[in-house]
């Protein structure tokens, strides 16, 4: 069994209005030392695969076919046997 | 300057309908080796603080006051100087 931690984040060129709104709210709460904040998606995926390579194929395919909007998002992952 | 990676996840006792929906969609795409998937929130926060302790105080306060719904979510973070 493999555990994958998958991060799906905005491409840097894409405006992040949600992050800007959160930053403003935190500044209103007097947390002015926060200079930037981004909110993105974090997936934990358990895959029943025979080897790491097979598990990685499943992750890559899942990103392509469902989890990542290739136009505005980018992704990276960590994988380990559990 | 400190970089904080903050993970805000559902408490295990809380039903995760979004994760279930994603799992079903991935199974429909024939990724049947995926046994579980959860989608949660991931924040990257930059804090201009004098020491790690000050930065951690800001993170904890921000979680309490805005970022985490203490009723159904839990959080953990990693912090490093950048």
């Amino acid at each position: 069994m493999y555990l994958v931690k998958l991060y799906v984040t905005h491409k840097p060129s894409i405006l992040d209005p949600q992050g800007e709104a959160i930053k403003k709210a935190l500044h209103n709460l007097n947390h002015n030392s926060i200079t930037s904040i981004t909110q993105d998606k974090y997936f934990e995926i358990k895959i029943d695969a025979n080897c790491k390579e097979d598990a990685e194929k499943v992750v890559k395919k899942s990103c392509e076919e469902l989890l990542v909007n290739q136009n505005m998002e980018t992704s990276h992952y960590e994988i380990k046997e559990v």
Side-chain angles (χ1 to χ4, degrees), chain A residues 21-74:
Chain A
I22 295 169
K23 191 170 86 172
K24 202 169 268 185
L26 287 167
H27 284 186
N28 288 343
L29 293 165
N30 292 319
H31 299 308
N32 295 305
S33 59
I34 292 176
T35 58
S36 84
I37 180 163
T38 56
Q39 180 184 333
D40 291 296
K41 285 178 265 182
Y42 166 66
F43 297 91
E44 279 193 4
I45 312 172
K46 283 194 185 136
I47 303 175
D48 187 12
N50 292 324
C51 63
K52 197 176 159 185
E53 285 67 33
D54 282 359
E56 285 192 292
K57 269 185 208 158
V58 172
V59 178
K60 284 177 187 166
K61 269 284 190 189
S62 300
C63 286
E64 273 174 42
E65 295 176 357
L66 191 76
L67 302 176
V68 180
N69 176 346
Q70 309 284 345
N71 298 316
M72 55 190 285
E73 293 174 331
T74 183

